[in-house]
Amino acid sequence: MDVNHYATANGFEVTVTKEGEICGFRIHGQSVPFEAVVLDKSTGEGVIRAKDRLDCELQKEHTFTIQAYDCGEGPDGENMKKSHKATVHIQVNDVNEYSPVFKEKSYKATVIEGKRYDSILKVEAVDADCSFQFSQICSYEIVTPDVPFTIDKDGYIKNTEKLNYSKERMYKLTVTAYDCGTNRASEDVLVKISIKPTCKPGWQGWSKRMEYEPGTGSLALFPSMHLETCEEPITSIQASVQLETSHIGKGCDRDTYSEKSLHRLCGASGGAVELLPTPSSSANWTVGLPTDNGHDSDQVFEFNGTQAVRVPEGVVQAGLSEPFTISVWMRHGPGARDKEAVLCSSDRTGTNRHHYSVYVHNCRLVFLLRQDPAPESSDTYKPAEFHWKLDQVCDKEWHHYVLNVESPTVTLYVDGVTYEPFLVTEDYPLHGSKAETQLTIGACWQDDSEHDNDNETLSETMTGGSARMSQFFRGNLAGLMVRNGKLETKEVIDCLYTCKEGLDVQLPQEVATAVKVQFSPSQSSLTLEGDDIESFDKVMQHISYLNSRQFPTPGIRHLRVTTTVKCFNEETCVSVPDAEGYVMVLQPEEPKISLSGIDHFARAAPEFESPEGVTLFPELRIVSTITREVESEAEGEEDPTVQESVVSEEIMHNLDACEVTALGEELDSEQESLEVELPLVQQHGLELSSSTTGLTLTGVNTMANYEQVLQQARYRNWHPEALFDRKFKLVCSELSGRYISNDFKVEVNVIHTANPVEHVNNAVMQPQFSNPMQHASVDLTGHNLLKAHQTTVVPSAATIVIVVCVSFLVFMIILGVFRIRSAHQHTVRDQENGKEGEMDWDDSALTITVNPMETYEDQHSSEDDEEEEEESEDGEEEDDITSAESESSEDEEGGEPEDQQGANRQQQLEWDDSTLTY
């Protein structure tokens, strides 16, 4: 039959012929979630309905075919007929049931400061709804407020202003999304935007300030340093590391012993004369010069163009014996048109001839040597003036100059490097003359009776009348030395110049050949060259600072790294700025040098007259200690009440000078002297100088050796009759006076023996000291000895009166003690036996001892008494000997009058009752 059909999602109709009715519908297709139901058989109306719930996200459309069947003829409808197949299309409408979801859990991006980006990064969200309306993301939004970023509808984020690395290094943004049905994302997403500073080529990852603690070995300067080249293709890298120490002493941290001591330490032969010594009693011609001592812990002398010093006659022989060496530390600059003399030997009067000199002139170093005439070649020209043109002369920095002179050759070493003269002029030898010469430092000595000079005239006391100075030097000098008959070796010169501080590098094995490293002679700078950035960084990270001095000079050492980078075109393509920093050398723990021993004793007069004399420091001890702060090991480390404890630790180091000075009047060379064992001094390589004020030992040596020599120092006096005491002071120092000991003062008294006088009474009262500890600390001053000497003879009547008075006093004391004892015993018998809480006085063996020196000791302060008690044990043996000598002298005299000690004691209360029992 013919059937016309129309289908919708809800129902359809079938046109029915007049012959029959529609009994049902059949749907063709697999897994079709629909069914067709007849609503009206006569009209053929029916409906299609879903068997289950439809899901647009699973299938948006369904297509299938449907047929209609009539009821057919016969009882069972065997002859039913079906219509043709009709196609049905069903579209499922969407519901906005899903929210947007971002594809990534978080987003990251990095941008460079100072740029405006069109797009930094893109975020993307999706929606699971099936319809176009509900599945599309219509907008994105930055939830975080007040950030310099914006996002468009497609999810692209860009900055709204130029970003600054110093202001903010990272931004964290929260972003959400909306679909076209206005559903918001179920979860917002985190966006991190890092700000990278503008790529600037240079060294990164190192600290500009580095602290160096003395005694800790080497300090890595750049442990995390690396070179940023901004991804430029690099072919070679060159870098120089400079340690600037021009403000430290003589150019860097060197040992500040005297120049003569340094020569000895470096292995130089003897015979050197130091022309600029540290001012002392034996070398006082440098006293008037300003020094830099105390600022850089070094002995540096300043010459301002108006000052000079005359070296006393006899310090250096008049004519230098070839070969000879002149060495000096000099800082000079800028150059001047006038000649400036460093060292000058000229005639003292008359002709003003210069025999030899070292001077600077227009940034040139000049050495003049006018030789004495030889009989066979008196009219022959000889090399007389040697010129070197050097930048070092005028650069205002310290440099070490050594002139090795062996005619006709003069070799110059500057900072250990040899230089040839660019000009040598010849001259005739000097005419023979008996005129005396004057050696001057910082100028040239000349007589102005026939010459005019614009230079400033020194005072008459300095110049000696009409003479004056010329060619004044402007700069600093130190360590001026002259050595006759010997040339300095290259090893000694290098040792003198070498710094105690400098740069060091321990190359890792894997980069030892990849980077070339070269050091300067002074170790204060090094250069590196390579082509691999990674290897270059590793070498830089192994550069260290090292200071081997036990007590380095504290302060700042500036560092500078200069770098040159080349690219493939062999030109400088990356400009690397200099890296500047500094090493702060901390204050070292300063040593405290302590001198101790017996500081007060007496000796018999004959000992002073003997060839051995009196030993001044027999038990001298030299000890050096440092004070350290030790953190407490208590459990509560964070407890602010826990304080650091201070401990004293003994250390060993060298001394370079000890000076013994006579206090009071100066030494009279006609009757007294200070002496030490000269062979012992020479054995330890020390030098001895003496004057009327005392003696001085100089030279670098251990404290034990100085102690051994000073323990043998002795004082002699050929006429001690009028001498009652002599006082001396000992001071030792280290590093040219940088560290100075305490003033150790010693007083030695003279024990005089009186002339015999026939008087028996005085001998009767001679005191017998049974306790050596009582007289071990007796201080016999000159005042009391003089008083004793004046009252040596006492009239016999006075002696008898004193004896009677003393006897009566003893009797009264015995009587009083006896009565007190009797009364006390009577009271005790009356008391009960059980009392133990009271103090009983048991004087059954009471002994009263009276110190015959009590009046004398009362003259001393309590402080002196304490010092004498501390020293009594050390000086017991010494004082025992003294007492024995005194007693033996008295025994020999027998009934003769007593000595001065006995007379002195007679003026005080004296008896020996050590065995008297009451």
Side-chain angles (χ1 to χ4, degrees):
M1 61 179 177
D2 295 328
V3 179
N4 295 325
H5 62 273
Y6 170 78
T8 66
N10 295 322
F12 60 92
E13 293 182 356
V14 178
T15 303
V16 184
T17 62
K18 295 180 179 180
E19 287 79 10
E21 295 179 349
I22 299 301
C23 285
F25 303 98
R26 181 175 295 177
I27 295 176
H28 299 280
Q30 295 181 353
S31 302
V32 177
F34 296 97
E35 61 181 359
V37 179
V38 178
L39 296 180
D40 190 344
K41 292 182 177 181
S42 60
T43 61
E45 182 181 355
V47 64
I48 297 176
R49 59 189 181 192
K51 296 179 182 179
D52 298 310
R53 294 188 61 180
L54 301 178
D55 191 347
C56 178
E57 283 70 36
L58 294 178
Q59 190 168 348
K60 296 169 61 175
E61 294 182 352
H62 295 272
T63 301
F64 54 87
T65 58
I66 188 172
Q67 285 181 310
Y69 294 88
D70 61 11
C71 294
E73 297 178 357
D76 298 325
E78 298 90 351
N79 298 322
M80 66 176 182
K81 296 180 179 179
K82 55 183 178 181
S83 67
H84 67 278
K85 294 180 180 179
T87 301
V88 178
H89 296 279
I90 299 177
Q91 182 176 358
V92 180
N93 292 332
D94 187 21
V95 176
N96 193 10
E97 57 185 324
Y98 292 98
S99 298
V101 177
F102 286 95
K103 288 186 175 182
E104 303 290 341
K105 292 183 178 181
S106 63
Y107 294 87
K108 296 179 181 180
T110 302
V111 296
I112 298 176
E113 67 173 345
K115 291 182 64 176
R116 294 285 293 269
Y117 288 84
D118 294 334
S119 175
I120 296 176
L121 79 159
K122 179 184 179 181
V123 298
E124 187 176 0
V126 294
D127 195 310
D129 288 316
C130 63
S131 64
F132 178 81
Q133 177 184 3
F134 298 141
S135 64
Q136 294 300 309
I137 305 300
C138 283
S139 64
Y140 293 90
E141 180 183 348
I142 297 176
V143 180
T144 306
D146 302 326
V147 290
F149 299 95
T150 185
I151 188 169
D152 61 16
K153 63 182 183 62
D154 296 322
Y156 289 99
I157 298 176
K158 63 181 181 180
N159 55 319
T160 58
E161 62 184 42
K162 293 181 179 180
L163 304 177
N164 191 335
Y165 175 79
S166 60
K167 180 180 178 181
E168 192 71 41
R169 299 187 179 186
M170 176 184 287
Y171 289 92
K172 295 181 179 181
L173 314 176
T174 302
V175 178
T176 191
Y178 294 92
D179 62 17
C180 294
T182 68
N183 269 7
R184 181 174 173 169
S186 57
E187 290 185 6
D188 299 338
V189 71
L190 178 64
V191 179
K192 297 179 180 179
I193 301 178
S194 300
I195 313 302
K196 184 179 180 180
T198 304
C199 185
K200 298 177 181 179
W203 292 103
Q204 298 181 1
W206 69 291
S207 174
K208 291 186 177 182
R209 174 189 168 94
M210 292 146 282
E211 291 187 351
Y212 179 78
E213 184 175 351
T216 57
S218 59
L219 169 68
L221 297 176
F222 319 112
S224 303
M225 194 178 198
H226 66 275
L227 180 62
E228 176 62 62
T229 58
C230 295
E231 300 181 357
E232 289 286 345
I234 302 301
T235 58
S236 69
I237 310 171
Q238 292 180 341
S240 67
V241 183
Q242 181 72 37
L243 180 70
E244 299 176 1
T245 58
S246 58
H247 67 289
I248 304 296
K250 293 174 290 191
C252 73
D253 217 2
R254 293 181 169 87
D255 279 331
T256 55
Y257 298 114
S258 68
E259 196 69 16
K260 185 179 292 186
S261 297
L262 287 176
H263 276 67
R264 187 181 301 113
L265 290 174
C266 288
S269 57
V273 179
E274 190 173 10
L275 300 184
L276 283 176
T278 302
S280 65
S281 57
S282 58
N284 58 0
W285 63 88
T286 58
V287 171
L289 287 177
T291 69
D292 200 21
N293 190 27
H295 174 64
D296 291 326
S297 299
D298 206 349
Q299 193 64 59
V300 173
F301 295 93
E302 179 183 355
F303 294 83
N304 58 12
T306 62
Q307 295 168 313
V309 292
R310 298 164 55 187
V311 180
E313 185 178 358
V315 175
V316 181
Q317 66 183 47
L320 297 180
S321 301
E322 296 190 32
F324 64 87
T325 297
I326 299 175
S327 61
V328 66
W329 284 93
M330 181 175 70
R331 177 168 60 183
H332 176 264
R337 294 182 179 180
D338 299 330
K339 294 180 180 180
E340 300 179 43
V342 176
L343 180 68
C344 182
S345 175
S346 59
D347 288 340
R348 187 170 298 181
T349 57
T351 57
N352 295 323
R353 299 178 306 170
H354 291 186
H355 293 258
Y356 64 87
S357 66
V358 179
Y359 63 91
V360 294
H361 187 207
N362 287 333
C363 295
R364 297 177 182 179
L365 182 70
V366 183
F367 173 64
L368 170 68
L369 178 62
R370 299 292 302 279
Q371 299 184 14
D372 293 332
E376 67 279 2
S377 58
S378 58
D379 295 333
T380 305
Y381 273 103
K382 292 184 177 181
E385 205 168 50
F386 301 81
H387 296 249
W388 293 269
K389 190 172 184 179
L390 303 168
D391 294 335
Q392 293 92 326
V393 173
C394 295
D395 64 1
K396 298 182 181 181
E397 301 292 342
W398 279 105
H399 298 285
H400 186 231
Y401 300 84
V402 178
L403 286 165
N404 275 348
V405 181
E406 190 172 19
S407 297
T409 303
V410 177
T411 305
L412 172 66
Y413 294 85
V414 181
D415 297 338
V417 180
T418 58
Y419 290 87
E420 295 295 329
F422 79 94
L423 177 64
V424 178
T425 60
E426 296 183 341
D427 201 350
Y428 288 110
L430 291 173
H431 295 292
S433 173
K434 295 183 179 180
E436 295 181 348
T437 60
Q438 175 63 59
L439 184 60
T440 313
I441 302 171
C444 277
W445 178 269
Q446 70 177 25
D447 185 86
D448 67 345
S449 58
E450 299 178 2
H451 300 274
D452 251 350
N453 196 295
D454 294 334
N455 288 326
E456 180 181 347
T457 303
L458 298 185
S459 65
E460 185 172 337
T461 57
M462 276 287 292
T463 60
S466 61
R468 62 190 295 171
M469 298 284 187
S470 66
Q471 301 179 14
F472 282 93
F473 179 77
R474 294 174 176 83
N476 296 97
L477 298 176
L480 180 56
M481 300 282 292
V482 174
R483 173 175 281 108
N484 274 320
K486 184 72 175 180
L487 299 180
E488 294 288 15
T489 63
K490 183 66 167 60
E491 291 75 14
V492 172
I493 294 173
D494 290 341
C495 174
L496 292 173
Y497 174 68
T498 301
C499 293
K500 290 293 183 178
E501 66 177 343
L503 300 174
D504 188 24
V505 59
Q506 300 295 330
L507 291 179
Q509 190 172 7
E510 63 272 15
V511 297
T513 58
V515 179
K516 182 180 179 182
V517 181
Q518 288 184 333
F519 281 91
S520 66
S522 64
Q523 298 289 109
S524 62
S525 65
L526 59 87
T527 58
L528 296 83
E529 186 174 355
D531 55 8
D532 180 65
I533 295 181
E534 184 177 354
S535 299
F536 210 89
D537 289 346
K538 287 185 178 180
V539 174
M540 291 292 292
Q541 292 168 6
H542 283 78
I543 295 176
S544 59
Y545 168 80
L546 180 63
N547 195 318
S548 60
R549 287 192 65 186
Q550 188 176 16
F551 307 111
T553 305
I556 292 175
R557 276 72 161 163
H558 289 281
L559 274 173
R560 180 187 297 271
V561 181
T562 305
T563 312
T564 302
V565 177
K566 292 184 178 180
C567 299
F568 285 104
N569 56 7
E570 296 300 327
E571 295 181 359
T572 302
C573 58
V574 177
S575 178
V576 179
D578 292 351
E580 296 184 5
Y582 62 93
V583 178
M584 172 62 74
V585 178
L586 303 179
Q587 178 74 37
E589 294 167 336
E590 297 190 359
K592 180 182 179 181
I593 306 172
S594 301
L595 309 180
S596 61
I598 301 175
D599 61 356
H600 202 161
F601 56 89
R603 292 291 182 269
E607 293 189 35
F608 291 87
E609 303 178 56
S610 66
E612 293 78 15
V614 174
T615 303
L616 294 179
F617 314 107
E619 298 184 16
L620 176 67
R621 287 282 293 129
I622 304 178
V623 178
S624 180
T625 58
I626 58 174
T627 302
R628 297 183 184 273
E629 290 186 354
V630 180
E631 295 183 358
S632 176
E633 298 180 356
E635 296 180 358
E637 295 182 356
E638 300 180 356
D639 187 356
T641 61
V642 177
Q643 298 181 352
E644 295 182 343
S645 60
V646 178
V647 297
S648 182
E649 177 183 346
E650 184 174 347
I651 63 169
M652 301 301 296
H653 59 90
N654 292 329
L655 299 177
D656 56 11
C658 282
E659 185 173 10
V660 182
T661 307
L663 300 179
E665 297 181 358
E666 293 186 357
L667 296 173
D668 185 355
S669 58
E670 298 295 329
Q671 68 175 23
E672 57 183 346
S673 68
L674 277 175
E675 301 174 1
V676 292
E677 295 292 340
L678 193 57
L680 191 59
V681 172
Q682 296 172 347
Q683 175 186 343
H684 293 309
L686 301 177
E687 293 192 1
L688 173 66
S689 61
S690 59
S691 65
T692 57
T693 61
L695 60 85
T696 303
L697 291 170
T698 57
V700 180
N701 219 312
T702 63
M703 291 183 290
N705 286 342
Y706 265 98
E707 190 177 276
Q708 183 181 0
V709 173
L710 288 169
Q711 285 175 352
Q712 304 301 320
R714 56 187 184 272
Y715 169 68
R716 293 183 60 201
N717 193 308
W718 300 276
H719 304 287
E721 296 84 4
L723 181 68
F724 300 103
D725 61 45
R726 206 55 162 115
K727 298 179 181 179
F728 300 91
K729 179 181 70 174
L730 172 63
V731 178
C732 294
S733 63
E734 157 78 323
L735 295 173
S736 295
R738 181 177 178 182
Y739 303 119
I740 303 176
S741 72
N742 60 306
D743 292 351
F744 179 60
K745 297 180 181 179
V746 171
E747 179 178 344
V748 55
N749 299 119
V750 184
I751 302 175
H752 293 280
T753 302
N755 294 327
V757 177
E758 293 184 358
H759 207 293
V760 181
N761 294 330
N762 291 341
V764 176
M765 296 305 300
Q766 175 65 31
Q768 300 296 327
F769 293 96
S770 60
N771 184 2
M773 292 303 294
Q774 291 182 356
H775 64 81
S777 61
V778 171
D779 187 357
L780 300 178
T781 62
H783 175 74
N784 287 330
L785 287 172
L786 178 61
K787 189 174 182 181
H789 181 69
Q790 293 172 349
T791 59
T792 302
V793 181
V794 180
S796 59
T799 304
I800 295 173
V801 171
I802 292 173
V803 171
V804 172
C805 292
V806 171
S807 301
F808 179 73
L809 179 60
V810 172
F811 173 76
M812 294 301 296
I813 293 174
I814 295 173
L815 180 61
V817 171
F818 179 78
R819 295 188 64 181
I820 293 173
R821 180 183 177 188
S822 300
H824 177 69
Q825 291 177 350
H826 183 268
T827 304
V828 170
R829 286 194 299 268
D830 295 339
Q831 293 177 345
E832 296 179 359
N833 296 329
K835 294 182 180 180
E836 298 178 356
E838 297 179 359
M839 180 70 73
D840 295 337
W841 182 17
D842 182 6
D843 58 352
S844 59
L846 179 64
T847 300
I848 298 178
T849 302
V850 179
N851 186 353
M853 300 302 292
E854 183 177 0
T855 304
Y856 174 81
E857 292 175 349
D858 289 342
Q859 297 174 0
H860 292 72
S861 65
S862 60
E863 181 179 353
D864 292 337
D865 293 338
E866 292 174 359
E867 293 177 358
E868 291 173 3
E869 289 174 3
E870 293 174 358
E871 295 168 1
S872 61
E873 295 181 1
D874 296 337
E876 181 176 344
E877 181 180 353
E878 193 77 52
D879 293 335
D880 287 344
I881 297 173
T882 305
S883 177
E885 292 171 352
S886 177
E887 292 173 0
S888 63
S889 175
E890 294 162 6
D891 293 338
E892 291 175 0
E893 293 177 8
E896 297 296 329
E898 299 171 356
D899 61 3
Q900 290 184 354
Q901 282 185 312
N904 186 33
R905 294 175 185 130
Q906 286 177 0
Q907 294 177 345
Q908 303 163 5
L909 182 60
E910 51 184 35
W911 68 84
D912 185 358
D913 58 354
S914 58
T915 59
L916 182 61
T917 304
Y918 303 93

